[in-house]
Amino acid sequence: MALELGGSSVSVEQTPDGRRLVVRHDVAASVDTVWDILIDTDCWSDWGPSVTAVETESRYINDGTAGRVRAAGVVWLPFEVTACTPYRWTWNVARLPATGHFAEERTTGSVVGFEIPPLATGYAPVCARACRRIAAIAQRREA
């Protein structure tokens, strides 16, 4: 059963990392455009409501990318990308499992989504906002 939150669907699902709360949002843009936005650290502060800055050696993440993110403009937290395969990546922030990020291809457009660990389900509204921002960025890029 899925609920709606700000135009995004929210459901509990089995993911490669176990049961997670999954937030999904339809995007009127290609899956490759959405994926590029998800893995480009220069974009993270544009779509991530809690991320105000990113420092890392590589602009585009891959498996093992490490760096730090500034959360809410207040504190720098270390991160490490724990898995990065086409259209899905996960990370640890401050050595704790954090959100998974994914893009899915659809017949028309795509879907962007987040997988939220069970102890962070209160983060769903933040992820729904991030989904809407990613959709807007992707649609502008393809306009």
Side-chain angles (χ1 to χ4, degrees):
M1 181 175 94
L3 304 171
E4 187 185 315
L5 180 63
S8 299
S9 69
V10 181
S11 58
V12 175
E13 299 178 24
Q14 186 66 32
T15 73
D17 295 315
R19 290 186 68 72
R20 300 284 186 264
L21 190 65
V22 177
V23 178
R24 279 191 170 77
H25 192 87
D26 291 330
V27 182
S30 74
V31 69
D32 290 322
T33 297
V34 171
W35 180 243
D36 187 70
I37 293 164
L38 285 174
I39 63 170
D40 182 351
T41 62
D42 283 358
C43 293
W44 287 4
S45 61
D46 295 334
W47 57 260
S50 59
V51 174
T52 54
V54 180
E55 290 182 354
T56 186
E57 288 185 20
S58 175
R59 176 177 173 177
Y60 290 91
I61 63 156
N62 54 48
D63 195 26
T65 297
R68 62 187 196 150
V69 292
R70 189 165 191 178
V74 178
V75 62
W76 285 98
L77 300 170
F79 76 84
E80 181 179 1
V81 175
T82 55
C84 187
T85 59
Y87 307 120
R88 184 175 184 274
W89 68 270
T90 58
W91 66 340
N92 287 345
V93 177
R95 292 191 226 152
L96 298 172
T99 50
H101 309 71
F102 65 89
E104 298 172 342
E105 189 169 21
R106 293 291 190 248
T107 305
T108 57
S110 60
V111 169
V112 64
F114 293 87
E115 302 164 357
I116 306 168
L119 295 178
T121 57
Y123 200 56
V126 174
C127 290
R129 181 181 297 163
C131 284
R132 290 191 303 273
R133 289 179 175 180
I134 291 166
I137 294 165
Q139 290 163 358
R140 280 194 306 273
R141 283 189 182 183
E142 291 193 358

